[in-house]
Amino acid sequence: MDNNLSGDELLKLLEALSNPYRLKIIAVLYEERQYVSQLARELGISRPLLYLHLQKLEDVNLVKGQLEVSENGKAMKYFELNPFVLNLNQQLIFDLSKTLTLKRNSN
Amino acid sequence: MDNNLSGDELLKLLEALSNPYRLKIIAVLYEERQYVSQLARELGISRPLLYLHLQKLEDVNLVKGQLEVSENGKAMKYFELNPFVLNLNQQLIFDLSKTLTLKRNSN
DNA sequence: ACCTCCTGTAATAAATATATTACACGTGTA
DNA sequence: TACACGTGTAATATATTTATTACAGGAGGT
C-alpha cells in the first residue's frame, strides 16, 4: 500500500478528478496561482460554476484558497495547487477496497 | 509524460474509476476472474446494474469479458482484469490537459 | 413439463452532478 | 453618483449517472 488514504478518500479523490474543468483548473494552477474571477475568464465558465468546482477540489485537498487584499484594496481570492501524487494500480484499489463504503453492503 | 494516453482518455479512465462499485469490481477481479451472475451476488447488486458498471470498465479497457460454455453446458460470461498502472500527478494532468476537450472552449 | 441458473437488454425511475440566473455587498476611481 | 471589478451564495433548471423492474431466451436436471 503506497498511500495512507482510505478507500472512501480514494473514491472522493477520483470523483474530484473526473471532470474536464477540474482537470483544467489543476493544469492552470500548476503554472501559477490565480484568483477566482480571472480563473473563470480563462476557463470560460461562470464564477458560480467555478466555485462549485473549486469547492470539490478543495474538499479533497487538491487545491487551497486564500482571501487576500490586493495593493489597490480589492479582495482577491487566490487559489493554488497542493502537491500530490498517486500511484494508481490494481493492487492499491484492492487494498483500499477494504475501507470502501458501499451503500448496500454485502462484499 | 509517463503515459501514452490523451487528456480525454485520462478523463474517461478517471470517470470509470470514480464509483464505489466499480472499484469493488476491480478489487474482486484482482483476486480471480468471475462470471457476471456470481459477481452480482458478491456485490449485492442486480445484474442489469452490474452490466452497466462492467460496460464502463470495459470501455476504458480496465476489464475484459468473454463468453464461455461451462462443463455443464451453461453459457457463462467471465470477466477478468486487464493490467494497468497510472502515476497520477500534477505534471501529468498539466501535460494531458492540452489534449482535453472542454464543451465550451476558450483557453 | 417445470424448475433452476445462466445471458442479455429495453424502458423507466430516482438520485446526483453540472450549469445558469439573479441577487447582495465592498472598494477604488472618473 | 455611477461604473468597473472583485467576492459570495441562493434558487433553479438541465443533464447525466445510477438503479430498478420487467422482459425474452437457452441449457440441464427432476
Side-chain angles (χ1 to χ4, degrees):
Chain A
M1 176 133 31
D2 79 303
N3 221 305
N4 60 333
L5 77 177
S6 73
D8 289 335
E9 286 166 343
L10 170 65
L11 177 58
K12 284 212 69 177
L13 181 59
L14 290 169
E15 285 172 344
L17 290 171
S18 59
N19 173 284
Y21 287 118
R22 293 199 288 270
L23 290 181
K24 200 75 184 178
I25 289 168
I26 291 174
V28 170
L29 295 184
Y30 181 72
E31 298 194 278
E32 65 173 336
R33 65 183 220 139
Q34 192 54 275
Y35 66 95
V36 177
S37 285
Q38 178 58 26
L39 191 50
R41 277 190 293 268
E42 288 183 25
L43 296 171
I45 64 178
S46 65
R47 260 183 329 110
L49 181 54
L50 177 55
Y51 269 106
L52 179 150
H53 289 311
L54 285 172
Q55 184 79 301
K56 297 200 177 192
L57 289 172
E58 201 168 28
D59 283 352
V60 295
N61 249 63
L62 281 169
V63 125
K64 168 180 55 187
Q66 53 195 334
L67 193 57
E68 300 179 10
V69 179
S70 70
E71 304 171 343
N72 52 9
K74 284 200 179 112
M76 316 278 275
K77 184 150 193 184
Y78 276 90
F79 274 86
E80 62 185 86
L81 224 48
N82 286 326
F84 90 99
V85 53
L86 177 69
N87 197 329
L88 198 54
N89 56 61
Q90 301 154 336
Q91 170 86 51
L92 178 72
I93 293 174
F94 173 72
D95 290 337
L96 295 189
S97 73
K98 290 154 191 162
T99 52
L100 179 62
T101 304
L102 301 187
K103 299 180 183 176
R104 201 168 199 172
N105 59 324
S106 154
N107 135 276
Chain B
M1 173 130 37
D2 77 304
N3 221 305
N4 60 332
L5 77 178
S6 73
D8 289 334
E9 286 166 342
L10 170 66
L11 177 58
K12 283 211 69 177
L13 181 59
L14 290 168
E15 286 172 343
L17 290 171
S18 61
N19 173 283
Y21 286 118
R22 293 199 287 271
L23 290 181
K24 200 76 184 180
I25 288 167
I26 291 174
V28 171
L29 296 184
Y30 181 73
E31 299 194 278
E32 65 173 335
R33 64 184 221 138
Q34 193 52 276
Y35 66 95
V36 178
S37 285
Q38 178 56 27
L39 192 50
R41 277 190 294 268
E42 288 184 25
L43 297 172
I45 63 178
S46 65
R47 258 182 331 110
L49 180 54
L50 177 55
Y51 269 107
L52 179 151
H53 289 311
L54 285 172
Q55 184 79 301
K56 298 202 176 191
L57 290 172
E58 202 169 27
D59 283 352
V60 296
N61 249 61
L62 282 170
V63 124
K64 168 180 55 185
Q66 52 195 334
L67 193 58
E68 301 179 11
V69 179
S70 70
E71 304 169 343
N72 53 9
K74 282 197 180 118
M76 317 279 276
K77 185 151 193 186
Y78 276 90
F79 273 85
E80 63 185 86
L81 224 50
N82 286 326
F84 90 99
V85 53
L86 177 69
N87 197 330
L88 198 54
N89 57 60
Q90 301 154 336
Q91 169 85 50
L92 179 70
I93 293 174
F94 173 73
D95 290 338
L96 295 189
S97 73
K98 289 153 191 162
T99 52
L100 180 63
T101 305
L102 300 187
K103 296 179 184 176
R104 201 169 200 170
N105 57 325
S106 145
N107 136 269

